[in-house]
Amino acid sequence: MAEKCIPVDKELCSTLSFGTYSFPAEIFYDDLDEYANNFVNWHKQREVEISQILEGEAEVQVLEKKISLRAGDVFLILPHALHMVKKGTGKIARYRTVIFDPVLLYGYKGSYFYEKYYRTFAAAQPFYHFADTGKSWEREAAAHLESLFAGFKEISEHRELCICTHLQRLWLSLCENLSDSSGKVDCSQQEQQRTAVLLNFLHEHYREKFTLDQLAASAHISKGECCRFFKKMVHMTPWEYLLEYRLSRSMELLDKKDLNISEVAEMTGFSTVSYFITEFKKKMGDTPLGYRKNRLK
């Protein structure tokens, strides 16, 4: 079974298709065990994403803001916010997501609903989250979310209208109660773009040998600033992230039985086979060969 990942373009924008042109909305169910290295790779999308943790724990990072969420917790990520999701400390992490074009909320840009109920809310911050702590609005929002997911499974003449109704009721509840939430991300558009440039450089050149000078030059900053900025935004050094990324790509290749371990190590940028095996075992608790055998059972 191949490891899952979110397909992205050079700007790390998701190219995943969903819904239809006439009704751009769809639901997804995800298990982080199915993703390489147990994390959903860094990406952004042009749509709104609302997710709820179903089982276990997950860690969501939107640029430099990182938060741990447990079963029942909900997070909302607005368009063009660079983010990733990884497994928490528990054994499992499963969640469900609805992705939709916000045009379903406001009709068209410039409309009364766009200005009052979407643009202001979306411009305030790129990330919101809440949990059912007993407040009446949280229970109400959770009920609207449940109805929204159930609506996608219904087969009726008015299915799409029902979905939009549940979506708008949920959105109203969020607008009324999350305006001053803790999803504030203290970074500029320029910082978001710089982060995407650095991550994209690592994704494009992970098979190669390159220097910190080359990485920094891709974003037109100094080596010192590159390390400081990357650590602030990604919570890892560039080399820690590069190792994680190489390991995740190696897991994809290990599903191909025609490649031996030496070939996988070389194709994912590891300088020696022994180094690849050592780092893989540290991360996964098994050798690459053992991991492959377990996957093929």
Side-chain angles (χ1 to χ4, degrees):
M1 181 176 66
E3 301 279 5
K4 292 171 65 176
C5 69
I6 302 295
V8 297
D9 60 20
K10 287 192 173 183
E11 295 181 349
L12 300 188
C13 193
S14 170
T15 59
L16 186 69
S17 61
F18 72 99
T20 63
Y21 177 78
S22 58
F23 192 71
E26 191 169 340
I27 59 172
F28 299 88
Y29 289 82
D30 284 297
D31 183 337
L32 287 176
D33 281 339
E34 297 176 357
Y35 285 83
N37 233 350
N38 302 135
F39 79 94
V40 177
N41 48 298
W42 282 96
H43 68 285
K44 52 188 174 181
Q45 69 261 338
R46 298 177 181 85
E47 302 79 30
V48 177
E49 171 184 335
I50 302 177
S51 300
Q52 182 179 40
I53 309 300
L54 296 175
E55 294 181 81
E57 299 178 4
E59 188 176 273
V60 181
Q61 186 174 339
V62 182
L63 292 172
E64 87 280 16
K65 184 172 181 62
K66 182 164 58 174
I67 185 167
S68 295
L69 300 173
R70 295 184 289 183
D73 293 353
V74 177
F75 63 93
L76 181 154
I77 297 175
L78 288 148
H80 308 294
L82 197 59
H83 64 282
M84 60 90 78
V85 185
K86 67 185 298 184
K87 198 173 181 179
T89 56
K91 293 183 179 180
I92 58 173
R94 299 189 180 100
Y95 63 102
R96 59 183 179 179
T97 301
V98 56
I99 296 181
F100 62 93
D101 189 321
V103 72
L104 295 178
L105 293 170
Y106 56 72
Y108 60 92
K109 284 188 176 181
S111 71
Y112 178 85
F113 300 100
Y114 173 79
E115 293 295 334
K116 185 171 183 179
Y117 296 107
Y118 180 76
R119 188 180 67 82
T120 303
F121 184 72
Q125 53 201 52
F127 172 55
Y128 294 84
H129 64 91
F130 73 91
D132 187 353
T133 60
K135 297 177 182 178
S136 60
W137 83 263
E138 291 171 337
R139 290 196 298 272
E140 181 182 82
H144 289 322
L145 185 63
E146 188 66 39
S147 297
L148 176 61
F149 278 96
F152 279 90
K153 298 178 181 179
E154 290 180 2
I155 301 175
S156 71
E157 183 181 357
H158 307 296
R159 172 178 173 271
E160 290 77 15
L161 184 57
C162 289
I163 289 172
C164 285
T165 299
H166 296 312
L167 181 60
Q168 291 180 343
R169 285 174 176 167
L170 172 63
W171 195 262
L172 176 59
S173 183
L174 299 180
C175 285
E176 289 177 330
N177 296 283
L178 285 182
S179 295
D180 297 317
S181 183
S182 57
K184 185 68 176 175
V185 173
D186 297 320
C187 63
S188 65
Q189 184 66 29
Q190 181 184 25
E191 288 177 313
Q192 292 189 54
Q193 292 171 348
R194 179 185 289 175
T195 304
V197 167
L198 292 171
L199 289 170
N200 188 57
F201 181 92
L202 294 174
H203 295 173
E204 285 193 340
H205 300 279
Y206 75 95
R207 301 180 187 88
E208 310 162 13
K209 290 182 179 180
F210 58 85
T211 65
L212 183 58
D213 280 316
Q214 290 172 305
L215 175 62
S218 71
H220 307 290
I221 53 179
S222 68
K223 290 193 297 183
E225 174 63 9
C226 179
C227 290
R228 184 203 66 77
F229 178 80
F230 198 95
K231 186 70 180 286
K232 172 195 171 187
M233 303 303 287
V234 185
H235 294 264
M236 297 182 188
T237 68
W239 307 125
E240 288 170 339
Y241 180 85
L242 179 62
L243 176 59
E244 291 277 323
Y245 189 73
R246 283 173 168 166
L247 288 171
S248 67
R249 297 310 299 263
S250 74
M251 291 175 203
E252 297 173 25
L253 295 178
L254 286 169
D255 281 327
K256 299 181 179 180
K257 293 182 286 185
D258 56 325
L259 295 175
N260 62 44
I261 303 304
S262 297
E263 289 172 320
V264 171
E266 182 180 357
M267 292 171 68
T268 49
F270 287 92
S271 55
T272 65
V273 178
S274 61
Y275 176 55
F276 169 51
I277 294 173
T278 298
E279 294 301 326
F280 192 97
K281 191 169 183 179
K282 281 182 188 177
K283 180 67 180 179
M284 303 303 296
D286 201 355
T287 64
L289 187 58
Y291 174 85
R292 170 180 276 172
K293 287 179 178 178
N294 287 329
R295 297 277 293 175
L296 295 176
K297 284 182 180 178

